[in-house]
Amino acid sequence: MTRAEKAVALHNAGSACSQAVFAVFARDLGIDYALAHRLACGFGGGVGRRGMICGAVSGGVLVLSVLYGSTRSEDQEAKLKTYDAVAKFLDAMEKSKGSLQCRTLLGGLDLWKEADRDEMKAKGLSDSVCNSLIADVVAYIEDILPPEM
């Protein structure tokens, strides 16, 4: 099973998009799977179900941050490398999907409203929008991973 398939399976099993993306890279990043799943939880539903930045995209940002991020305040080079990698990633996802906003991607649905969650299910948006984005984010990250990963 590919990472993208694993991530989609996690999402289908109930994980947030952010958790599905970040958790499939946990082992490669040297992070405990359960900790990775927990760390990414609050980014689901566009950050706390607020419909802001897509959870799958947030999961990708977390992966990039672990890959390139600074570990010390004075390491400005690593911080800037991370910002550059994140900016390129965000640009690619926005160009591909038209938006990075969860609520926009889901046609304006509010995930705090039960009726909107029911509509999301009825329209199959979890598969057509979320799972598609999860797979695309995982593929993007895989394309830039160092060869040893």
Side-chain angles (χ1 to χ4, degrees):
M1 186 179 279
T2 67
R3 273 194 196 103
E5 291 168 337
K6 288 177 186 174
V8 168
L10 281 171
H11 182 248
N12 288 339
S15 293
C17 298
S18 52
Q19 292 173 304
V21 169
F22 191 49
V24 297
F25 290 100
R27 193 177 100 216
D28 299 301
L29 298 170
I31 299 173
D32 176 71
Y33 172 86
L35 178 60
H37 202 264
R38 181 180 286 171
L39 285 169
C41 187
F43 294 98
V47 185
R49 267 194 182 165
R50 296 286 308 269
M52 297 185 295
I53 190 165
C54 163
V57 172
S58 294
V61 171
L62 286 168
V63 174
L64 294 171
S65 295
V66 174
L67 280 174
Y68 304 120
S70 60
T71 58
R72 299 176 326 281
S73 299
E74 63 274 8
D75 189 355
Q76 295 300 300
E77 186 177 326
K79 183 169 76 171
L80 292 176
K81 181 177 181 176
T82 306
Y83 288 173
D84 183 58
V86 168
K88 287 176 182 172
F89 166 64
L90 295 177
D91 288 345
M93 290 298 109
E94 188 168 32
K95 183 178 179 183
S96 170
K97 301 299 181 180
S99 178
L100 299 176
Q101 300 303 306
C102 178
R103 187 168 292 165
T104 300
L105 292 164
L106 295 176
L109 297 177
D110 181 346
L111 297 179
W112 275 109
K113 295 179 180 175
E114 186 176 354
D116 284 7
R117 290 193 309 275
D118 291 343
E119 184 178 342
M120 182 179 169
K121 287 178 188 174
K123 290 182 175 179
L125 297 179
S126 187
D127 288 329
S128 64
V129 175
C130 303
N131 286 342
S132 172
L133 238 159
I134 288 167
D136 288 352
V137 167
V138 170
Y140 181 96
I141 299 295
E142 284 181 321
D143 283 347
I144 65 166
L145 283 177
E148 64 274 8
M149 294 180 121

